[in-house]
Amino acid sequence: RKPTFLHLNEERCRVVGVDVQPDTTTLVVASTDSRFLAQESISTARDPVEFLSRLGRRITDLMRAHSKGSYEGIGISLPGRIDAATGRLMFAPTLGWSNLDLKTPLERVTGLPVKLENAANACALAELWSGRHMDGVNNLVAVTVSDDIGVGMIMNGQLVCGSSGAAGEFGHVPQLPDGPNCRCGNRGCWEVLGSNSAAVRYYAEACSVRKGEIGSKSDMARVPFSDLLRLVERGDPKACQALNKMAHHLGIGIAMLVTGLAPEVLVVVGEVTRAWDLVGPIVAEPLKRRSLPYPVTRILPTDPREQPRLRGTIALVLQKHFGAPSIA
């Protein structure tokens, strides 16, 4: 028989996406073409029980406010690792949570299936589903840079999760065995040297405390990374020095990924991409010295305005219901 071609009704099918970060959690309602229809944010409570209660209420309120159409599910990205078999959050050092079931309580409250994933994996899936860099690409690595560093991998067109779902914890590979303590219990991990929090620490260490300035060294350690980037834009020498040091260690870790995985594309996700004109050349230096000459990997910053973490949460639901897209 002559085939009948079908397509999803993007006006009727909707998805809830949730991006959990240490300070702020962002929620969206999106159509199946990853177009955001509504967005709001809440503070991330330190107590996971309190957080789940608040999050469940806000999701149901958001769904009621945008009740036109049917909801396919909820996708959640987290700065931690998810057990592939149980769906439990195994550990999230920046949140201080471990061995936590977020899935069951949220499914009970909302009546929707919930899919959880590490934020870096979600960003990799966002590229697979709607990214501009996947044309003819079978191997892509996403590096998320915030207060921690995460790595998501698309290898041979498939998301790499490992036997337990913990594959990709390159952020906790030590670069300096005698370096600063990491929240994972090790010392000198990549993320404690090349993350946003590392740059803030470098800036605090470089600043002398003067009356009427920030007040104390502990106060300076809490300067937001976004403020540090503004100082860099104004040419503050200590801020520039801190960002340069962070970029150097970020490049060392990226060189490790390029050598070990040889992806066609590596995308960098995070606020640091706002200063990529300065950061990119510094990241490239360790690549020239440390990676093998034959892999040709494009290192590309993502645009923070595209919100790749949130787009990844939509991809989580789409993949579960409709399968991964084919790669040309």
Side-chain angles (χ1 to χ4, degrees), residues 8 13-18 28-34 70-77 103 107 112-117 121-122 125-126 129 159 309-325:
L8 289 170
C13 296
R14 297 188 175 182
V15 175
V16 176
V18 181
V28 295
V29 170
S31 57
T32 52
D33 63 352
S34 298
S70 61
Y71 283 84
E72 299 296 325
I74 301 170
I76 302 178
S77 73
K103 178 181 171 70
E107 288 184 337
L112 291 176
V114 173
K115 177 66 175 176
L116 297 97
E117 189 53 90
N121 284 352
L125 285 172
W129 276 89
L159 180 67
R309 291 177 185 242
L310 279 170
R311 296 199 180 279
T313 64
I314 309 308
L316 289 175
V317 178
L318 296 179
Q319 177 171 265
K320 180 177 179 180
H321 284 278
F322 309 116

Side-chain angles (χ1 to χ4, degrees), residues 279-295:
V279 169
I282 299 171
V283 166
E285 283 303 314
L287 279 167
K288 294 175 185 175
R289 296 195 309 271
R290 293 170 179 259
S291 58
L292 297 173
Y294 52 82

Side-chain angles (χ1 to χ4, degrees), residues 3 34 44 66 82 142 154 158 163 181 199 260:
S34 298
T44 304
H66 302 275
I82 313 299
I154 303 289
Q158 300 293 323
S163 59
N181 292 325

Side-chain angles (χ1 to χ4, degrees), residues 14 61 140 188-189 210 239 280 308 311:
R14 297 188 175 182
D61 289 345
L140 175 140
C189 292
R210 294 192 298 270
R311 296 199 180 279

Side-chain angles (χ1 to χ4, degrees), residues 197-235:
S197 54
V200 169
R201 188 181 70 253
Y202 298 146
Y203 177 71
E205 291 169 352
C207 284
S208 59
V209 180
R210 294 192 298 270
K211 186 177 179 180
E213 207 170 74
I214 300 178
S216 72
K217 195 165 184 177
S218 62
D219 288 336
M220 284 189 287
R222 290 195 292 270
V223 171
F225 183 70
S226 56
D227 286 356
L228 189 144
L229 289 180
R230 280 191 282 272
L231 290 170
V232 169
E233 290 168 1
R234 296 203 294 264

Side-chain angles (χ1 to χ4, degrees), residues 292-310:
L292 297 173
Y294 52 82
V296 180
T297 299
R298 289 182 289 153
I299 312 296
L300 302 173
T302 59
D303 187 341
R305 292 172 298 182
E306 294 181 358
Q307 303 187 84
R309 291 177 185 242
L310 279 170

Side-chain angles (χ1 to χ4, degrees), residues 209-269:
V209 180
R210 294 192 298 270
K211 186 177 179 180
E213 207 170 74
I214 300 178
S216 72
K217 195 165 184 177
S218 62
D219 288 336
M220 284 189 287
R222 290 195 292 270
V223 171
F225 183 70
S226 56
D227 286 356
L228 189 144
L229 289 180
R230 280 191 282 272
L231 290 170
V232 169
E233 290 168 1
R234 296 203 294 264
D236 181 284
K238 292 184 176 67
C240 291
Q241 180 185 4
L243 185 67
N244 291 351
K245 190 172 181 180
M246 169 201 177
H248 170 73
H249 286 288
L250 183 60
I252 291 174
I254 287 175
M256 169 183 63
L257 298 177
V258 169
T259 300
L261 301 173
E264 292 103 311
V265 173
L266 185 147
V267 294
V268 180
V269 180

